[in-house]
Amino acid sequence: MASPAVSPDSSSHEALSSVNSAPACSPTSDSENLSPDELELLAKLEEQNRLLEADSKSMRSMNGSRRNSGSSLVSSSSASSNLSHLEEDTWILWGRIVNEWDEWRKKKEKLLKELIRKGIPHHFRAIVWQLLCSATDMPVKNQYSELLKMSSPCEKLIRRDIARTYPEHEFFKGQDSLGQEVLFNVMKAYSLVDREVGYCQGSAFIVGLLLMQMPEEEAFCVFVRLMQEYRLRELFKPSMAELGLCIYQFEYMLQEQLPELNIHFRSQSFLTSMYASSWFLTLFLTTFPLPVATRVFDIFMYEGLEIVFRVGMALLQFNQAELVQLDMEGMSQYFQKVIPHQFDSCPDKLILRAFQVKYNPKKMKRLEKEYAAIKNKEMEEQIEIKRLRTENRLLKQRIETLEKVTRPPAVPKGQVTRAQEAEENYIIKRELAVVKQRCTSATENLQRAQSTIRQLQDQQGNPRFSEEFVTHLETELEQSRLRESETLGALKEMQDKVLDMEKRSSLLPDEDNVVRLQEELQALALREAEAVKSLTELQQQVKDLSDSWQAGRAGGRWKESPRRSNANALQEAVVAARLREAQAQAELRALRQRVLQLETQGQIQRTVLGRAEQTCAGLREQLRLAAAQSKGLQAQLSESHRKHAEAQCKSKEEVMAVRLREADSMAALAEMRQRVAELEIQVGGTGGRGDTVGTPWG
């Protein structure tokens, strides 16, 4: 059976009291006095009692130690009573668990785990599954009827895959069967609730199992909870990132615990995803028959995906000896035909082996971090490769553009830097053309040399070609290859120069601003030339006047009469006045020139300031747009939070009433089955006694 049982408390003793107190066995003289049918039935009951004793330490030993074979034989009526008591005790125990669920989850968690590992009774599965995943009061249930009225983009895919889901099961058999209709409804409703996941084929098997146990509204709520809380949503996302993580963790467990089988798988290129993907996506529902798969699903509802790792490793351990002897095709057939039916008659054996598998949650967390780091590194490498490809493409486009230029662009006046850049571009273009020509020539020489060598190889028997000639050709070939490598290096250097020049050119002002600045500089240069010319003329006039004045003073100081002297004095005064006037005009023109320079500088500064203001305005507009976009995203996030809260609130209604009705119907069905079993046993017992009438006892 399953893993070792945990010591029960007083309530479990009361619940299983009737199992512990089996009726006393009256001694019989010999087992041969019973019919073969009775012996077979009693052997089955004895096996059941033995399993019960081994499974739970809370069940006390039967009356007596059963030291001999005679004490283990009971009558048919006693066996029937024992079987009915067992079913009745199971019903009472699980009924108490359901009614006192909160107390069991908090105070008796270990015992509850052991009972779930032994299997939840069929008629209690619906209510217990809903309690295990807390799907009893989900607000999303109220939205179910409204979701069915809407249309989903996944409807065609769902319709296509419905017939592939449990095709042999009576509930889903037939195109218009009730099972297919409710399965379509649940899958469609979830595709509308979670549009990111939408629909994935493997999820239909999980929903189908839920619909076998409960109505479609409750199955929908349980499935929503499984997707949200049991990692299934990440498994079924289009990227299936969680599936990759599970495969990575499972491969690590396989390598650690079954190294020989792992080496065999690798040697046969038998990937883990080829056989384990369906285990994680369908929780073994497509691998095992429903009775075995349901037992695994019981444990999954309580312990999560851990049971999938355990059962998968248990299967590989159980079949390691056979698998290492098969090739890839044989292993594929073995997984499909042999493994699914190995535990049909004894699912407890599978569960027991599963919980003997070593499973370390801390190591799984570490592997999850390692896998995330690996994926992040792969994503960064892909981004880097994409960036390098983009840069390579842009570089080729730039080289082609430069090659199409036949002459350098006109050098604008006043822009020395831009002219130098254009000239360097032209020089680089010429050097690039020369390098390409050299590369072409070297390639041609290399081809000719290779052709010559091939001819020599074809004509090895010809005495006209000496070894010296061949050696000379090989030397030329090596020199050609060397020149080719140098040419390629020069070409790469030229390409780097082109990139550098283009980067520096991109930092220069655009064409419109350059033209405007050129016009301003030309006007400034004209005004400056006029001012300098006027100033030069004034300075020359001042110099002429000063020379004539000094000459007049020096020539007529002693020879002139007093009247002449007065006239000269007046003339000197006039000349001095004119000289001062000319100097004043020169100073005025110099001041005007200075003012003009300052005005030009101010205009340039205003132009630069205007450009800066335009840039700031553009940045402010971008900031405003970004703020508006952020506000819209925040509004969407708030709306999504509100809808999520509403969905959670609405999903916690209308569940208990339907569940109780389902439990009542299941209880009635179980009672009828119990009564039928009792009648069958009684009929079998009556027939056995009739056959032995008149036979003397030994």
Side-chain angles (χ1 to χ4, degrees), residues 9-74:
D9 56 349
S10 60
S11 63
S12 62
H13 278 296
E14 295 174 1
L16 300 174
S17 59
S18 61
V19 177
N20 301 336
S21 58
C25 302
S26 59
T28 57
S29 59
D30 196 348
S31 61
E32 294 179 356
N33 295 330
L34 298 178
S35 65
D37 294 335
E38 288 178 334
L39 290 174
E40 182 180 0
L41 177 60
L42 292 177
K44 291 181 179 179
L45 292 176
E46 181 64 16
E47 180 66 14
Q48 180 68 22
N49 291 334
R50 187 186 64 78
L51 292 175
L52 287 174
E53 288 178 352
D55 283 346
S56 176
K57 294 181 181 178
S58 63
M59 296 182 180
R60 298 172 182 174
S61 61
M62 307 294 286
N63 291 341
S65 60
R66 304 192 181 192
R67 300 179 187 273
N68 53 66
S69 61
S71 63
S72 65
L73 298 176
V74 295

Side-chain angles (χ1 to χ4, degrees), residues 463-489:
R464 293 179 300 173
F465 299 96
S466 62
E467 294 182 358
E468 295 180 358
F469 183 64
V470 173
T471 305
H472 176 68
L473 290 178
E474 289 179 351
T475 304
E476 288 186 357
L477 177 61
E478 292 177 358
Q479 292 178 356
S480 299
R481 288 177 177 174
L482 181 61
R483 287 195 298 271
E484 182 181 9
S485 62
E486 293 177 355
T487 304
L488 292 176

Side-chain angles (χ1 to χ4, degrees), residues 108-219:
K108 307 173 185 179
E109 183 177 1
K110 292 184 178 180
L111 180 58
L112 178 61
K113 180 188 292 186
E114 293 300 323
L115 292 173
I116 291 174
R117 288 180 179 180
K118 293 183 177 68
I120 303 172
H122 175 71
H123 45 275
F124 280 99
R125 275 202 172 97
I127 181 69
V128 173
W129 284 358
Q130 294 177 63
L131 291 172
L132 282 173
C133 66
S134 303
T136 54
D137 298 317
M138 293 185 65
V140 74
K141 184 176 181 180
N142 297 332
Q143 300 178 357
Y144 184 73
S145 58
E146 297 297 328
L147 292 172
L148 296 183
K149 299 177 183 178
M150 301 168 61
S151 61
S152 170
C154 304
E155 290 186 13
K156 291 184 179 180
L157 293 176
I158 298 173
R159 286 289 185 192
R160 183 194 64 187
D161 293 336
I162 286 296
R164 307 176 187 175
T165 306
Y166 300 114
E168 302 299 327
H169 197 279
E170 195 66 29
F171 186 54
F172 299 99
K173 189 178 295 184
Q175 184 174 0
D176 298 326
S177 62
L178 176 61
Q180 289 193 10
E181 189 62 29
V182 294
L183 178 59
F184 172 79
N185 291 340
V186 175
M187 299 309 302
K188 170 187 172 182
Y190 185 80
S191 68
L192 293 170
V193 169
D194 190 352
R195 295 184 181 272
E196 182 181 1
V197 174
Y199 166 73
C200 186
Q201 184 178 2
S203 60
F205 290 93
I206 300 175
V207 176
L209 179 64
L210 297 176
L211 290 172
M212 296 178 197
Q213 310 293 331
M214 62 191 75
E216 58 181 299
E217 294 87 351
E218 297 178 1

Side-chain angles (χ1 to χ4, degrees), residues 417-697:
T417 303
R418 195 172 186 85
Q420 291 176 352
E421 296 288 344
E423 184 176 357
E424 290 179 1
N425 284 337
Y426 179 72
I427 294 173
I428 290 173
K429 183 180 70 66
R430 286 193 307 173
E431 292 179 355
L432 184 62
V434 173
V435 169
K436 284 192 173 184
Q437 186 177 1
R438 291 177 181 176
C439 180
T440 303
S441 177
T443 304
E444 292 176 354
N445 293 333
L446 177 61
Q447 291 177 354
R448 286 196 298 269
Q450 290 176 349
S451 177
T452 305
I453 289 175
R454 284 195 297 269
Q455 292 176 2
L456 290 174
Q457 291 176 352
D458 295 337
Q459 300 176 359
Q460 289 180 356
N462 194 337
R464 293 179 300 173
F465 299 96
S466 62
E467 294 182 358
E468 295 180 358
F469 183 64
V470 173
T471 305
H472 176 68
L473 290 178
E474 289 179 351
T475 304
E476 288 186 357
L477 177 61
E478 292 177 358
Q479 292 178 356
S480 299
R481 288 177 177 174
L482 181 61
R483 287 195 298 271
E484 182 181 9
S485 62
E486 293 177 355
T487 304
L488 292 176
L491 178 62
K492 183 65 171 60
E493 184 179 356
M494 294 300 104
Q495 290 175 348
D496 294 338
K497 286 184 179 181
V498 169
L499 285 176
D500 185 55
M501 298 301 296
E502 288 183 351
K503 288 180 180 179
R504 285 190 290 172
S505 298
S506 62
L507 300 176
L508 296 175
D510 54 8
E511 296 294 337
D512 296 336
N513 293 331
V514 169
V515 172
R516 187 164 56 254
L517 290 175
Q518 289 175 358
E519 293 176 353
E520 292 176 358
L521 289 175
Q522 289 176 358
L524 177 61
L526 291 175
R527 290 195 296 270
E528 183 179 3
E530 292 176 357
V532 170
K533 183 178 180 181
S534 301
L535 181 60
T536 303
E537 292 177 354
L538 287 175
Q539 289 176 352
Q540 185 64 33
Q541 292 178 4
V542 169
K543 183 178 180 181
D544 294 341
L545 290 173
S546 177
D547 293 341
S548 61
W549 181 60
Q550 292 293 339
R553 292 184 61 184
R557 179 173 299 175
W558 304 104
K559 297 178 181 179
E560 295 176 354
S561 61
R563 182 178 298 176
R564 184 67 176 175
S565 178
N566 292 333
N568 290 336
L570 291 174
Q571 188 176 3
E572 289 177 359
V574 171
V575 171
R578 289 179 179 176
L579 181 60
R580 287 194 299 273
E581 180 181 2
Q583 291 176 349
Q585 288 180 356
E587 291 177 358
L588 179 60
R589 288 183 180 273
L591 290 175
R592 287 178 178 175
Q593 180 66 22
R594 180 60 180 165
V595 170
L596 184 61
Q597 292 177 355
L598 293 176
E599 287 179 352
T600 304
Q601 292 179 0
Q603 185 177 359
I604 294 174
Q605 294 296 330
R606 284 193 297 272
T607 303
V608 174
L609 182 60
R611 252 191 249 109
E613 288 178 351
Q614 291 178 358
T615 305
C616 291
L619 293 175
R620 283 195 294 270
E621 181 65 20
Q622 292 179 2
L623 180 61
R624 185 185 65 79
L625 294 175
Q629 186 177 5
S630 176
K631 186 176 180 181
L633 293 175
Q634 288 178 355
Q636 293 179 4
L637 182 60
S638 301
E639 181 67 17
S640 63
H641 284 319
R642 184 184 64 80
K643 290 182 179 180
H644 182 64
E646 290 179 356
Q648 287 183 342
C649 293
K650 290 180 181 179
S651 64
K652 294 183 180 179
E653 302 173 359
E654 298 181 4
V655 175
M656 292 306 298
V658 178
R659 187 182 306 110
L660 291 175
R661 290 197 298 271
E662 181 72 13
D664 292 339
S665 62
M666 291 295 180
L669 181 59
E671 290 176 359
M672 293 298 295
R673 289 178 177 174
Q674 179 180 350
R675 182 60 180 167
V676 170
E678 292 176 357
L679 292 175
E680 289 178 352
I681 295 174
Q682 291 177 3
V683 171
T686 304
R689 285 193 297 272
D691 293 339
T692 57
V693 172
T695 303
W697 296 91

